[in-house]
Amino acid sequence: FCVTTDGFVAFTAGCSDLSSLYSELDALISDDVEAVRLLGAKVRASLLAVPLPAAVADAALAAWREIGDGFAYAVRSSATAEDLPGASFAGQQDTYLNVRGEQALLDAIRRCFVSLFTDRAILYRQKNGFGHRGIALSVVVQRMVFPDAAGILFTADPVSGHRGTITV
């Protein structure tokens, strides 16, 4: 199941100083890594103090119970600006694996929302000219399975960045 961007908007609405934090983010200089690190930590700390809204938590728990609360889950972030023609935000936000139990699920969802403000995500948006205010995040909750085999397909070479090389 997914917790939509409406859940993210409801969550961030609970942060009373978010508007001023966005203003600080907008004023950052993209190559000032130390300033990004300090401000990113400040934003994350502010958001980590915000509880999930009851409606978001209740809907997530209802969906989780419906598909089975006795399993391990992957709780994955998905930003609205991922997989664009000129930029890929994949991997900028956090994923939590082997999540079990009600409190762990709710905490992982909240931490996914907060991960829109990891240092790497802030820097990526800054360097690629994306505003911080226009990006939202949803959360994908998937039952984990134990595969016989697994792999990753890169549509650009992970070392050189060459887009004509596909690597598995």
Side-chain angles (χ1 to χ4, degrees):
F1 67 91
C2 294
V3 181
T4 68
T5 56
D6 288 341
F8 174 81
V9 170
F11 169 72
T12 57
C15 182
S16 60
D17 57 346
L18 189 61
S19 181
S20 65
L21 291 170
Y22 273 133
S23 294
E24 289 182 61
L25 285 166
D26 292 340
L28 281 173
I29 298 169
S30 64
D31 61 352
D32 190 346
V33 175
E34 181 63 13
V36 169
R37 187 185 68 75
L38 293 170
L39 183 54
K42 180 180 174 182
V43 172
R44 290 188 303 274
S46 292
L47 287 170
L48 283 170
V50 176
L52 276 180
V56 174
D58 291 347
L61 290 174
W64 172 68
R65 287 183 185 112
E66 184 176 324
I67 60 175
D69 60 8
F71 302 102
Y73 285 87
V75 181
R76 306 178 63 212
S77 304
S78 182
T80 55
E82 287 187 16
D83 302 326
L84 299 173
S88 176
F89 285 79
Q92 299 299 318
Q93 289 78 225
D94 293 341
T95 291
Y96 298 92
L97 302 176
N98 293 313
V99 174
R100 294 177 179 271
E102 185 174 298
Q103 284 311 116
L105 175 66
L106 296 177
D107 186 55
I109 292 169
R110 188 168 57 90
R111 288 183 178 278
C112 280
F113 284 157
V114 172
S115 76
L116 189 63
F117 301 97
T118 63
D119 298 351
R120 66 185 174 271
I122 293 168
L123 283 166
Y124 193 83
R125 286 192 299 271
Q126 289 291 111
K127 288 182 180 184
N128 288 285
F130 289 90
H132 299 286
R133 297 171 198 261
I135 307 294
L137 194 127
S138 64
V139 177
V140 180
V141 180
Q142 300 171 299
R143 183 174 160 198
M144 295 191 68
V145 296
F146 296 98
D148 293 327
I152 298 172
L153 170 70
F154 294 92
T155 56
D157 184 278
V159 176
S160 69
H162 185 265
R163 294 204 172 264
T165 302
I166 296 174
T167 305
V168 178

